[in-house]
Each structure stands twice: as C-alpha cells, then as structure tokens.
Amino acid sequence: MIPASFGYRAPKSLEETLDLLHQHPGEARVLAGGQSLIPLMKLRLAQPKVLVDLQHVPGLSYLREEEGFLKVGAFTRVGTLLEDPLVQARYPMLAEAGKVIADPLVRNLGTVGGNLCHGDPGNDLPACWIAAGGEMVITSARGPRTVAASEFYRDTFVTAVGPEEVLTEARLPMARAGHGAAYLKLQRPGGDYSVAGVAASLTLDPKGRVARSGIGLTAVGPTALPAPRAAASLVGHPPDAVHLAEAGKLASQEAVPVPDLRGEVEYKRAVVEVLTEQVLERAADRAGGRA
Amino acid sequence: MTGDDGVVGGHGPTRRIQVTVNGTPRDAEVEPRTLLVYFLREQLGLTGTHIGCDTSNCGACTVQLDGRPVKSCTVFAVQADGRRIRTVEGLEQEGVLSPLQAAFAEAHGLQCGFCTPGMLMTATALVEGERAPGTDAIREALRGNLCRCTGYANIVQAVEAALRGHRPASEPKQSPASLPGR
Ligand SMILES: Cc1cc2nc3c(=O)[nH]c(=O)nc-3n(C[C@H](O)[C@H](O)[C@H](O)COP(=O)(O)OP(=O)(O)OC[C@H]3O[C@@H](n4cnc5c(N)ncnc54)[C@H](O)[C@@H]3O)c2cc1C
Ligand code: FES
Ligand code: FES
C-alpha cells in the first residue's frame, strides 16, 4: 500500500518545527514514531501535505523526576519507557501499560507523545495519565502551556493540541509514600488493542483510607475517559472488597462502549467492572493499604 | 510529478538519502512516501525482507534500524537517512550462516520460510543483546512476528540453542540507545 505523496521535512530544532507548522497551516502533520500515522496514510485515511519529522529535534527524549513530577519527553519511545529502571521501580503502572501496547517492534518506534496525541480511544497511555492526574505540556511559537490530562481529549482523534502546536512533555505527579497505581487491560490473544483497559491511581492516608483516587478507562468511549464517580466513591474509605466492588459497578456505568468485533456493550461493561476491581486492588497493594 | 493528488505510480519530488545497509554505504533518491521495505526490495534489490501483511501486523518485514528491530513496512525510507540498516542478507558472513540461522536449520525453526527473515532479525537482536532471556522473554520478544506454519515451538528452541552457543561477536555490541529517542 502506497500513501499519497507528501513533502517531508526533518527540522533540527523545536523552533524550526513550529515554524514549519506555521508555514503550512492545517496541512502539516507531526511525525513521531509513525506507528499510527503511517498505517493511516497507507490506507489514505490520512493525507497530510507535509510531514514534519520530530526524530532529529533534540531534547524531546527523557525521563526524570523533577519539581514534583515524573517528566517524560514526548519523543521517548514506548520501549524505553517500559524498560526504564525508574519507571519499573516507581511507576509500575506505566511499565504495565507500555508492556501491553502492541508488540516490541512497534514499541521500538512508537513514542509516548504519539500514543498520547493520536487520540484513538484504544491507546493505552491516555487512561494512565487521566487516572494519575497528569498534565500535558503543549508548545507553540508563543511558548509552552499546560493542559490537564482529563481536559486533553476532546473527541476521537481530537486533542487539545492545535495545528501549530507540539506536545513536548507529559508529566505525572511524583510517586510518594502511600501512593500506588496500576494498569490492566483485557485483550484478545495474540496482542491487540484493548477490549477494555482500566488505570487506577490511589493515595492512602496514614489510617489506610483513600485520600485521593483517579480512574481512567481505555476503549470504552469516544476517547479515553475518566471515571469520576467511581473514583470519588472510594475517598474516605478503606480500599476493601466492598468499596472496590462498588467502584467497579460505578465505573462500568460511566463507560460508554460501542459494540464492535471486540465485544458487545454489556460484555464490555462487565469487563470494565471486573478490571476496575482488580486494578484497584493492585493499586491499593502498591499503596500499602491491603495487609 | 503527481504533486499532491496522490496518484499511484506517479512520481513526486525525491529526496537524497544516505544509509548503511549491511555495512555498505548507499546513496539513493527516494520519494518521501517510499516505505523502507519497498526501498530495500525494489530500489536495492534486497528481496530477502518479505512483505506479509503490509498493515503493520505480521513482522515479516522486520529489519534492524540502528540495531533495533522494526517493521520496515511502517517506516519511510527518508526516516532511515543517516542510519544503519541490517537485513537478513547481512546475517551470513562469507558463506557461513550466522549461529542463529544455523540453529533455525538445525531445530526446524521454519517450514514455508515466509516469516523467517523477520524472525531472524528480531531474534538476532535478542541473541546479540546484553541480556540472557529465558523462554518467556524469547516468546515476548517475538510477539510482533507471526508464523502461520511452525506453531512457534521450534522457533523458540532455535533461539534458545543460539543463545546457548553464543560467543561474544567480534563486532561491537549494537546499543539500542543509538536510535534517537533512546
Ligand atoms: C500493530 C499495531 C498494534 C498497536 N497496538 C496498540 C495497542 O495495543 N495500544 C496502544 O496504545 N497503541 C497501539 N498501537 C499504536 C502505537 O502505540 C502507536 O505507536 C501510537 O499510537 C502512536 O505513536 P507514534 O509515536 O507512533 O505516533 P505517530 O504515528 O507518529 O503519530 C500519531 C499521531 O499523533 C501525532 N503526534 C505524534 N507526536 C506528537 C507530538 N509530540 N505533538 C503533537 N502531535 C503528535 C501525529 O501527528 C499523529 O496524528 C499499535 C500500532 C500498531 C501498528
Ligand atoms: S509486512 Fe510489515 S508487518 Fe506485515
Ligand atoms: S514458516 Fe511459514 S509462516 Fe513461519
């Protein structure tokens, strides 16, 4: 399959990148790992006039804890994310999500920024960012601005990133004592996008009650979704079986799945319920709340 | 030139790229929309790299880009500018099969052979890597390479055999960190 012709640009700086996007308003598209965009171009579902390749732009690949955040450069490859010792030790939710994205070949090229910006409800990282209360740093010629992950997703394939902007960094609040997070997805055997996926992030107070909680859902709505009622139902309570089951029920009601080859609506709701309970249990274990 | 109308078979403006393919520097003119696998097969005549699905699913087209296995049907040739590409043709040295190729032959790691070039390129990265993967890690590493014939067991056994027999290569280890974006 052969994509439509396009002009290819390989800028060497962020300034040049933003300048190119400005010169081709609405016609240029950023190319990161290409693992979603190139398949779409081959099917001619996407026909950008100009591709602006980020691979030679310096300073977009990093993982570090700083100023109370885990900061992830947008061009960090998913394969790098899930193998990073800091991520494995302190952000196991991200390692879990990274590991169930596609396969190692796709992960060698696919980037964190691409996974977050593509806007397919089946992408796995957005739910993690929503659950953990993360933020996106979006940069334009006017400078950077910050958007909460929960406000980032507007519609399928539509995010807060404008045509003359680039996602430069995605950050999560730094993991602290009493915090735990996890990601679980159900996929058909052989590796596939999710039937459904659930990310959970919990912070427990010294008495072992939930002080803060966030839940994000994959593949059961037009975009990755927060499940605010399910998350709020836990606050002030110990993360015991009764409360986790209640949160699972609420999350399954907050999901808005559509039937497709991965399952019917009722099935997907049931999957969300079970996954929510299980992922909350894992997050609570990591937070130290389930002795 | 087709300009932007996207007519198949037309010729858009080209771009000059320099790549190192199996150790040999190559200069070429490519259209930006030329996928790496078509560049290798049609422009360089390296037809060992197969096109199975052309939809990023099967891994038959796997080559190494700066030491990392990737699906060459999902990379534009222009993205490989300045990089090292290794294909199945680069495994044999002076008529001698690589230890992994020999292990595939020995363990019957192939039947029709269509998936084999991709399997070999993914597994070569594993065998030459710094870790000593167990069976589960081998299976996980091969997750992006589909085989419709063997049932995988013999492929995994071939990789295990090659790992057992692996002596550190004389060439320097390829670092995954050399690809931009780490
Ligand atoms: C076989 C297969 C299976 C897959 N399975 C899964 C799966 O199970 N789960 C999953 O989550 N994903 C899956 N993917 C998608 C994969 O994870 C992609 O890598 C990811 O969705 C996009 O990342 P990318 O870096 O390749 O982005 P690209 O394909 O380069 O870009 C995707 C989109 O994001 C935009 N974009 C990229 N980076 C930026 C940026 N920094 N700023 C602004 N816009 C940007 C691009 O313009 C484009 O619109 C699969 C892909 C394949 C081929
Ligand atoms: S031909 Fe590239 S993945 Fe199948
Ligand atoms: S040997 Fe036939 S597809 Fe693998």
Side-chain angles (χ1 to χ4, degrees):
Chain A
M1 288 185 295
I2 301 164
S5 290
F6 58 88
Y8 172 81
R9 311 302 292 269
K12 296 248 161 35
S13 70
L14 188 58
E15 293 67 38
E16 202 188 328
T17 305
L18 296 169
D19 204 45
L20 284 166
L21 294 176
H22 180 68
Q23 283 167 28
H24 301 277
E27 298 190 327
R29 199 83 172 248
V30 163
L31 175 67
Q35 300 302 290
S36 290
L37 186 52
I38 295 175
L40 283 181
M41 289 174 68
K42 289 169 76 173
L43 296 168
R44 302 207 178 192
L45 294 172
Q47 302 198 11
K49 294 268 194 295
V50 178
L51 274 193
V52 181
D53 188 350
L54 289 182
Q55 72 168 325
H56 300 293
V57 176
L60 290 180
S61 305
Y62 53 86
L63 276 154
R64 58 173 177 259
E65 286 183 318
E66 194 178 83
E67 299 166 333
F69 292 102
L70 170 72
K71 297 182 171 180
V72 186
F75 204 77
T76 307
R77 310 271 184 192
V78 172
T80 304
L81 175 83
L82 75 96
E83 283 176 13
D84 188 86
L86 173 69
V87 169
Q88 291 190 345
R90 291 183 35 82
Y91 301 89
M93 169 178 72
L94 297 183
E96 279 164 352
K99 228 185 145 173
V100 294
I101 291 174
D103 58 59
L105 305 171
V106 170
R107 301 195 293 255
N108 274 343
L109 289 175
T111 64
V112 171
N115 200 284
L116 290 170
C117 286
H118 184 48
D120 185 323
N123 282 135
D124 290 293
L125 291 179
C128 298
W129 250 263
I130 288 170
E135 296 175 347
M136 316 298 189
V137 181
I138 302 170
T139 304
S140 73
R142 287 179 303 282
R145 65 189 177 101
T146 304
V147 176
S150 56
E151 320 252 290
F152 185 76
Y153 295 97
R154 303 283 158 87
D155 202 348
T156 308
F157 301 127
V158 185
T159 68
V161 181
E164 296 185 24
E165 294 182 315
V166 174
L167 179 81
T168 44
E169 180 178 284
R171 23 164 102 151
L172 296 184
M174 208 159 95
R176 299 185 191 283
H179 174 264
Y183 185 71
L184 271 180
K185 100 177 192 182
L186 180 73
Q187 58 185 332
R188 299 182 302 172
D192 187 20
Y193 284 94
S194 302
V195 172
V198 185
S201 170
L202 292 178
T203 305
L204 303 183
D205 68 18
K207 294 208 169 104
R209 289 173 310 211
V210 176
R212 188 208 163 270
S213 78
I215 295 174
L217 308 178
T218 300
V220 286
T223 69
L225 295 177
R229 285 196 295 133
S233 75
L234 293 162
V235 174
H237 302 291
D240 56 23
V242 172
H243 290 99
L244 300 195
E246 174 64 15
K249 282 207 181 59
L250 289 169
S252 78
Q253 291 162 15
E254 290 179 275
V256 282
V258 291
D260 61 17
L261 76 174
R262 296 186 181 86
E264 299 302 319
V265 169
E266 283 318 304
Y267 171 65
K268 290 185 181 182
R269 283 195 197 281
V271 170
V272 169
E273 181 171 344
V274 172
L275 287 180
T276 302
E277 269 188 70
Q278 291 178 349
V279 79
L280 282 168
E281 194 175 325
R282 199 181 279 191
D285 279 341
R286 287 182 180 153
R290 288 171 65 94
Chain B
M1 296 209 307
T2 55
D4 296 318
D5 61 5
V7 174
V8 182
H11 294 283
T14 58
R15 204 180 150 98
R16 179 143 222 101
I17 60 167
Q18 290 185 319
V19 291
T20 303
V21 182
N22 299 326
T24 309
R26 311 287 295 246
D27 254 28
E29 289 280 341
V30 293
E31 268 193 90
R33 62 172 168 172
T34 303
L35 294 157
L36 182 58
V37 69
Y38 291 100
F39 168 69
L40 292 169
R41 289 176 56 87
E42 292 170 13
Q43 265 175 270
L44 301 187
L46 295 172
T47 53
T49 303
H50 290 168
I51 301 172
C53 63
D54 211 357
T55 55
S56 318
N57 285 292
C58 74
C61 63
T62 304
V63 302
Q64 288 180 9
L65 194 57
D66 283 352
R68 280 190 158 190
V70 302
K71 296 173 178 174
S72 64
C73 75
T74 318
V75 179
F76 291 118
V78 286
Q79 291 176 277
D81 188 19
R83 308 204 174 286
R84 280 178 300 122
I85 300 162
R86 197 170 172 208
T87 70
V88 69
E89 287 91 345
L91 294 182
E92 183 185 295
Q93 295 295 325
E94 286 158 15
V96 181
L97 294 182
S98 76
L100 182 69
Q101 286 176 306
F104 264 64
E106 187 73 20
H108 296 282
L110 63 152
Q111 288 177 25
C112 79
F114 200 82
C115 69
T116 312
M119 287 286 177
L120 287 170
M121 297 323 290
T122 301
T124 294
L126 205 60
V127 171
E128 293 178 355
E130 267 137 42
R131 288 174 215 169
T135 308
D136 288 349
I138 295 170
R139 286 187 170 271
E140 178 56 30
L142 293 174
R143 206 180 163 86
N145 295 87
L146 305 185
C147 175
R148 293 290 89 139
C149 302
T150 63
Y152 301 98
N154 290 356
I155 291 175
V156 174
Q157 281 164 21
V159 177
E160 285 174 331
L163 278 163
R164 276 197 301 276
H166 183 62
R167 304 275 174 282
S170 49
E171 63 182 283
K173 285 241 163 42
Q174 286 165 322
S175 155
S178 64
L179 210 60
R182 306 197 301 165

